[in-house]
Amino acid sequence: AQSVTQLDSQVPVFEEAPVELRCNYSSSVSVYLFWYVQYPNQGLQLLLKYLSGSTLVKGINGFEAEFNKSQTSFHLRKPSVHISDTAEYFCAVSDSPQKLVFGQGTRLTINP
Amino acid sequence: EAQVTQNPRYLITVTGKKLTVTCSQNMNHEYMSWYRQDPGLGLRQIYYSMNVEVTDKGDVPEGYKVSRKEKRNFPLILESPSPNQTSLYFCASSLYPPGANEKLFFGSGTQLSVL
């Protein structure tokens, strides 16, 4: 079974600074990878997904993620964050066609 | 508007008192699922349903029941709630199973406290 590790439970950054949220998964077999975002008091929304092809995936709100098969990683990046990016971010990997396995979440806090 | 609707948003109950959290989607999705979210543990799947009358256990099904009598509804039932079921619950749906490249649509969540 797949497992997902998000290495940082909290990431504080200053506004307009770059940010990287780290995600590693357990298996190197072909998988689908996802990042979801949860804004305060809301459900999760899909930010981006990797299926195949280019290893750099672009998502909504200026986020992008890079798939690295050899390191089994799928880190999320944004070159310049805004206050509105304050949220919890979840990495997820397909464990089977029927389910996704989610990581523990990373709380991104943007300081003015 | 396409959405997943959960009710109630907040619920406080006492140990042993049966409760139901409702979930409804208006997108004609085949797949529906329940998750619980706990600090430091992320989202863990409780039950999922591939279609009407087809349900299966997720990673943490103990103490929960579900049913899928209609395509749009997927209620979560706690027959005898206990304090360790205090958590934030999310219902989600997708057109096809999410592990096959499908986007999951989430409800707004139900914060349950069991005293």
Side-chain angles (χ1 to χ4, degrees), chain A residues 32 36 41 49 97-99, chain B residues 9 31 59 90 97 99 101 104:
Chain A
Y32 296 131
Y36 280 82
N41 299 312
K49 61 183 177 181
Q98 291 82 17
K99 66 181 292 186
Chain B
R9 190 71 187 269
Y31 182 93
D59 298 316
F90 286 102
N101 174 27
L104 273 171

Side-chain angles (χ1 to χ4, degrees), chain B residues 5-85:
Chain B
T5 304
Q6 283 179 240
N7 280 299
R9 190 71 187 269
Y10 301 94
L11 181 57
I12 300 174
T13 189
V14 295
T15 299
K17 186 175 181 182
K18 181 179 178 180
L19 66 91
T20 299
V21 184
T22 63
C23 174
S24 180
Q25 51 91 5
N26 62 0
M27 296 168 279
N28 202 35
H29 283 171
E30 307 252 320
Y31 182 93
M32 297 186 75
S33 182
W34 278 101
Y35 298 88
R36 60 177 289 173
Q37 182 181 8
D38 301 289
L41 298 177
L43 274 77
R44 293 179 293 168
Q45 190 177 48
I46 303 171
Y47 269 94
Y48 66 93
S49 170
M50 301 282 280
N51 211 327
V52 176
E53 302 292 2
V54 181
T55 63
D56 211 343
K57 296 177 181 178
D59 298 316
V60 289
E62 294 78 21
Y64 304 95
K65 283 176 56 178
V66 293
S67 69
R68 188 93 182 269
K69 294 186 171 65
E70 308 163 280
K71 199 170 190 177
R72 62 183 294 125
N73 295 323
F74 191 47
L76 180 69
I77 303 156
L78 284 72
E79 295 269 5
S80 183
S82 62
N84 64 11
Q85 293 178 297

Side-chain angles (χ1 to χ4, degrees), chain A residues 32 34 36 38 41-46 49 51 88 90 94-105 107, chain B residues 9-10 31 35 37 40-43 45 48 50 58-59 88 90 97-104 106-108:
Chain A
Y32 296 131
F34 306 79
Y36 280 82
Q38 182 182 30
N41 299 312
Q42 295 183 28
L44 282 73
Q45 305 172 33
L46 182 66
K49 61 183 177 181
L51 313 173
E88 189 153 19
F90 291 92
S94 56
D95 186 49
S96 69
Q98 291 82 17
K99 66 181 292 186
L100 294 183
V101 174
F102 286 86
Q104 301 90 333
R107 189 171 298 278
Chain B
R9 190 71 187 269
Y10 301 94
Y31 182 93
Y35 298 88
Q37 182 181 8
L41 298 177
L43 274 77
Q45 190 177 48
Y48 66 93
M50 301 282 280
D59 298 316
L88 179 58
F90 286 102
N101 174 27
E102 278 292 318
K103 169 183 170 180
L104 273 171
F106 282 82
S108 300

